[in-house]
């Protein structure tokens, strides 16, 4: 198959044009090395995957402005996600009697909060599957329309149930955006920076939360200010709808639809410094991978592909890791802190609870920037191993603080009670430690979920993982206040600390390193077990190949310099 294909000839794999009479002299390696490389590509194609080690494009380590602009525009979805989940914290403490009751009960607060999560669960469940059919970009547009509708519905609501309806609608948009934005970014990013590009979406989520807390603090003393808080969420959605007209579709989706020309055009912008033959080879290899995906899609039903995600060992391992990491992200209790931080800080005696909540969201934003810098350099696994213990320590310290702080009130927080400012300060510090550790690792790594699945089941896999995220969110968000009342704040935070510890054990035993591997290479990791050692082997081999490529480049440069020196020497001799 490969020998007769003019786009994947031996000369092109070696980086030379077929008709160049000096091709053999300028080849990067021997014919045996080329044949070995070609055999490796064939072997990986036969196994259903393409090994990107065979294609090292010139300038691949450089990122074009096209990629950065594309990612920034698509991360507006993350901004909306963060804003609409964070704004409810400030709204709950300022609604007052605007929705009918003199004060919202704990049950009503949980319903308003969990309505968003239920909507996100349903939206996330269909998002990936829908995007396989319509394309990634259209689903982002649908999410924006839903964001606008939900924001307006909340702003004009005058009773609890209409507010719940608006929050549910917003939740559907959040679920769609949370699933598709990282997936879309992954499929448009160069391998070397894929993790960082997805973290940029998480940076926008945390920025959205910071903006939400800032606006909440600004409108805290304004009558009906909460309506402005929720209504302003429609503004970024309107901007993104405009930007979507100028953004390309994922090249993998374009190839899936048979539009090779547009896919080639998009890839040429992503790898703008690659030679034409290198770019052709990249597109061809990607096309072969997509071809296998199309064959699977055309010969199987949706139900059969759902079964394959669970029954096929390779897919199942990816699903276990993706769902496990998303469950860890939610069961640690972080989002309850985002939803109820203003309520919590008000109860322990802070005069400006929304402003204090801004410290928490600001910490989340700043340490997400740390992850942005290091996630591709250090790797996903190492970041998780190092950051998870900080979460356990932070939550344990909070549990101890609540135990001693609430002794005089029977272990429970009673609104209006004057608690020790020292213990309140320790609670705040413990929350900062917890959030800093979360933002560095767990807040980002699970959203790399798309790289754990092959293209044929990527939409289904990411939908199931995102649904797991929101299922855990729904469970924690709808039980947080009740849990605090039943087992006391000290018990609740101790419970979350124990769940974090179990999550850390899961990471140590099951989570492999995927940084530096292409989307088509990651699946090879799961062929025999969870692939912790196999991923290390593949990454080491890839570094060796890249090192050889750089060394060859240096030798070529030295040869050019030597030739130039020799030429000047001859010219000087001719003068005399």
């Amino acid at each position: 198959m490969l020998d007769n294909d003019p786009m994947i000839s031996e000369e092109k794999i070696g980086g030379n044009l077929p008709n160049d009479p000096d091709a053999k002299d300028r080849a990067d390696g021997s014919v045996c090395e080329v044949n070995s490389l070609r055999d490796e590509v064939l072997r990986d194609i036969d196994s259903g995957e393409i090994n990107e080690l065979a294609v090292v494009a010139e300038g691949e380590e450089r990122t074009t402005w096209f990629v950065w602009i594309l990612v920034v525009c698509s991360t507006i979805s993350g901004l909306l996600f963060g804003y609409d989940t964070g704004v409810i914290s400030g709204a709950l403490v300022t609604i007052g009697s605007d929705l009918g009751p003199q004060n919202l009960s704990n049950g009503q607060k949980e319903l308003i909060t969990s309505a968003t999560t239920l909507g996100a669960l349903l939206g996330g469940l269909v998002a990936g599957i829908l995007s396989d059919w319509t394309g990634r970009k259209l689903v982002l547009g649908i999410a924006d329309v839903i964001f606008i509708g939900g924001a307006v519905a909340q702003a004009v609501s005058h009773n609890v149930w209409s507010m719940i309806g608006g929050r549910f609608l917003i939740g559907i948009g959040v679920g769609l955006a949370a699933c598709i934005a990282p997936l879309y970014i992954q499929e448009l990013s160069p391998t070397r920076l894929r993790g960082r590009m997805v973290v940029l979406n998480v940076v926008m989520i945390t920025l959205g939360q910071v903006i939400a807390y800032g606006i909440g603090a600004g409108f805290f003393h304004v009558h009906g200010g909460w309506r402005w808080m929720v209504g302003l969420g429609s503004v970024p959605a309107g901007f993104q709808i405009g930007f979507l007209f100028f953004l390309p579709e994922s090249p993998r989706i374009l190839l899936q639809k048979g539009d090779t020309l547009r896919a080639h055009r998009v890839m040429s912008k992503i790898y703008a410094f690659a030679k034409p033959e290198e770019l052709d080879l990249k597109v061809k290899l990607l096309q072969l991978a997509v071809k296998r995906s199309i064959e699977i899609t055309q010969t199987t039903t949706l139900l059969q592909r759902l079964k394959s995600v669970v029954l096929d060992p390779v897919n199942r391992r990816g699903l276990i890791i993706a769902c496990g990491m998303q469950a860890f992200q939610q069961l640690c209790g972080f989002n309850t802190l985002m939803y109820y931080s203003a309520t919590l800080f008000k109860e322990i005696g802070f005069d400006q609870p929304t402003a204090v909540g801004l410290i928490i969201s600001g910490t989340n934003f700043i340490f997400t920037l740390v992850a942005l810098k290091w996630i591709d350099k250090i790797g996903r696994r190492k970041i998780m191993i190092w950051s998870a213990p900080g979460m356990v320590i932070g939550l344990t310290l909070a549990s101890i603080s609540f135990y001693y702080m609430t002794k005089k009130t029977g272990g429970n927080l009673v609104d209006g009670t004057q608690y020790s400012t020292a213990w309140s300060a320790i609670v705040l510090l413990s929350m900062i430690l917890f959030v800093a550790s979360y933002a560095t690792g767990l807040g980002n790594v699970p959203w790399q979920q798309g790289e754990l699945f092959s293209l044929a089941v990527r939409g289904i896999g990411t939908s199931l993982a995102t649904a797991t995220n929101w299922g855990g969110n729904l469970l924690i968000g709808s039980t947080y206040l009740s849990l605090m009342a039943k087992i006391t704040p000290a018990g609740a935070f101790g419970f979350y600390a124990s769940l974090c510890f179990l999550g850390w054990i899961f990471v140590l035993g099951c989570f492999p390193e995927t940084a530096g591997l292409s989307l088509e290479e990651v699946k090879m990791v799961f062929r025999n077990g969870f692939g912790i050692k196999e991923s290390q082997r593949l990454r080491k081999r890839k570094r060796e190949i890249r090192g050889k490529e750089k060394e060859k480049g240096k030798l070529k440069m030295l040869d050019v310099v030597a030739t130039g020196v020799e030429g000047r020497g001859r010219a000087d001799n001719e003068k005399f």
Side-chain angles (χ1 to χ4, degrees):
M1 179 177 72
L2 204 60
D3 294 302
N4 299 324
D5 194 329
M7 294 190 72
I8 314 184
S9 60
E10 289 182 10
E11 292 85 356
K12 280 206 171 184
I13 291 178
N16 300 291
L17 291 171
N19 298 323
D20 189 340
D22 299 321
K24 290 185 179 180
D25 295 332
R26 297 196 309 270
D28 291 340
S30 66
V31 173
C32 291
E33 186 179 359
V34 170
N35 286 335
S36 175
L37 190 57
R38 184 190 63 183
D39 292 341
E40 183 179 346
V41 176
L42 271 170
R43 186 167 58 252
D44 290 331
I45 290 173
D46 290 338
S47 67
E49 291 301 320
I50 306 303
N51 191 345
E52 204 177 270
L53 291 178
V55 192
V56 180
E58 187 174 323
E60 191 166 323
E61 72 281 357
R62 298 163 67 181
T63 307
T64 63
W65 278 107
F66 168 79
V67 173
W68 283 111
I69 291 171
L70 182 150
V71 171
V72 168
C73 290
S74 57
T75 54
I76 293 176
S77 294
L79 181 73
L80 288 163
F81 174 3
Y83 184 86
D84 284 308
T85 53
V87 75
I88 195 62
S89 178
L92 287 176
V93 295
T94 58
I95 286 174
S97 60
D98 291 351
L99 294 179
Q102 187 64 33
N103 288 297
L104 294 176
S105 66
N106 281 350
Q108 289 170 329
K109 288 179 180 179
E110 286 180 340
L111 281 173
I112 290 172
T113 304
S114 57
T116 304
T117 310
L118 178 61
L121 171 61
L122 298 177
L125 194 58
V126 303
I129 300 170
L130 180 64
S131 74
D132 282 345
W133 177 50
T134 65
R136 317 300 192 207
K137 195 169 77 166
L138 181 60
V139 177
L140 289 179
I142 293 171
D144 287 326
V145 172
I146 293 173
F147 275 125
I148 293 172
V152 173
Q154 289 176 92
V156 300
S157 61
H158 288 281
N159 59 64
V160 172
W161 285 107
S162 61
M163 183 66 174
I164 290 171
R167 292 299 297 173
F168 177 77
L169 194 58
I170 279 286
I172 294 175
V174 167
L176 292 173
C179 180
I180 299 304
L183 183 57
Y184 179 64
I185 292 167
Q186 280 179 326
E187 292 185 343
L188 282 159
S189 299
T191 298
R192 189 181 64 87
L193 290 176
R194 187 177 66 242
R196 186 178 297 182
M197 295 300 188
V198 174
V199 171
L200 190 59
N201 186 60
V202 183
V203 169
M204 295 296 279
I205 293 174
T206 60
L207 179 60
Q209 291 169 339
V210 171
I211 293 171
Y213 276 84
I215 290 175
F219 283 101
F220 185 74
H221 295 293
V222 177
H223 179 68
W226 65 272
R227 297 187 187 278
W228 285 98
M229 296 181 205
V230 296
L232 286 171
S234 61
V235 177
F239 278 114
Q240 189 175 49
I241 287 176
F243 290 139
L244 284 175
F245 287 102
F246 303 99
L247 297 183
E249 183 53 88
S250 160
R252 288 167 173 83
I253 295 296
L254 291 173
L255 289 173
Q256 205 169 38
K257 293 179 178 179
D259 197 341
T260 308
L261 185 62
R262 284 178 63 198
H264 192 285
R265 195 178 301 135
V266 175
M267 290 287 282
S268 69
K269 293 179 180 179
I270 295 173
Y271 298 100
F273 304 102
K275 295 176 183 177
E277 61 268 23
E278 292 170 342
L279 184 64
D280 289 342
L281 184 53
K282 272 190 173 292
V283 174
K284 187 63 177 178
L285 292 178
L286 184 59
Q287 194 172 11
L288 289 168
V290 172
K291 182 181 178 182
R292 182 60 63 93
S293 171
I294 293 172
E295 289 172 357
I296 293 172
T297 303
Q298 290 177 344
T299 57
T300 59
T301 64
L302 177 62
L303 182 60
Q304 287 174 323
R305 292 195 295 279
L306 277 168
K307 286 182 178 178
S308 77
V309 174
V310 178
L311 300 179
D312 179 75
V314 174
N315 292 334
R316 183 171 63 245
R317 291 173 190 128
L319 184 67
I320 289 171
I321 294 169
C323 292
M325 293 301 291
Q326 291 288 16
F328 182 14
Q329 187 186 80
Q330 291 303 323
L331 296 179
C332 74
F334 173 80
N335 274 335
T336 60
L337 187 62
M338 287 291 103
Y339 297 149
Y340 298 112
S341 63
T343 303
L344 176 66
F345 290 130
K346 182 182 176 184
E347 288 179 336
I348 64 176
F350 287 98
D351 294 331
Q352 294 288 334
T354 308
V356 177
L358 185 59
I359 296 173
I360 298 298
S361 60
T363 301
N364 190 25
F365 174 69
I366 291 168
F367 280 87
T368 302
L369 295 178
V370 174
L372 177 67
K373 179 173 176 61
W374 294 107
I375 192 165
D376 282 313
K377 294 180 180 179
I378 294 177
R380 287 81 153 132
R381 178 177 168 83
K382 283 185 179 178
I383 274 186
M384 281 303 308
I385 290 173
W386 294 347
S387 63
M391 296 169 58
V392 177
I393 294 169
L395 289 171
T396 303
L397 182 59
S399 176
I400 294 169
S401 301
F402 277 120
Y403 174 79
Y404 286 104
M405 185 172 66
T406 58
K407 269 189 170 183
K408 63 180 180 181
T409 53
N412 292 307
L413 288 172
V414 179
D415 202 7
T417 304
Q418 188 68 35
Y419 290 107
S420 165
T421 55
W423 283 117
S424 296
I426 294 173
V427 168
L428 178 58
L429 288 174
S430 66
M431 291 295 98
I432 290 172
L433 173 60
F434 166 67
V435 170
S437 302
Y438 172 92
T440 304
L442 192 57
N444 301 284
V445 173
W447 294 115
Q448 309 289 335
Q449 59 190 8
E451 64 190 16
L452 300 172
F453 304 100
S454 61
L455 183 62
V457 295
R458 190 170 293 151
I460 296 171
T462 53
S463 284
L464 292 173
T466 305
T468 301
N469 178 289
W470 293 110
N473 193 323
L474 180 63
L475 176 65
I476 293 294
S478 61
T479 59
Y480 170 74
L481 294 177
S482 302
L483 192 69
M484 294 273 281
K486 292 283 185 182
I487 64 173
T488 73
F493 280 86
F495 175 67
Y496 294 144
S498 64
L499 291 179
C500 279
F501 180 77
L502 291 176
W504 185 49
I505 298 299
F506 173 78
V507 169
L508 289 172
C510 299
F511 188 66
E513 184 56 74
T514 57
L517 300 177
S518 74
L519 292 177
E520 281 66 46
E521 288 166 347
V522 172
K523 186 180 176 183
M524 295 190 290
V525 168
F526 301 122
R527 288 174 181 170
N528 298 296
F530 286 102
I532 293 174
K533 290 183 178 179
E534 177 64 11
S535 67
Q536 292 171 349
R537 186 189 69 81
L538 279 176
R539 293 175 73 243
K540 181 181 178 182
R541 187 156 158 263
K542 193 159 189 175
R543 284 195 300 269
E544 289 172 353
I545 290 177
R546 288 194 181 278
K548 289 179 181 178
E549 291 294 328
K550 287 183 180 180
E551 190 62 32
K552 287 175 184 176
K554 289 178 183 178
L555 290 173
K556 286 181 180 179
M557 183 61 69
L558 288 171
D559 185 50
V560 170
V561 172
T563 303
V565 171
E566 183 182 347
R568 285 197 301 272
R570 284 198 302 266
D572 291 340
N573 288 333
E574 287 171 3
K575 286 180 184 179
F576 293 95

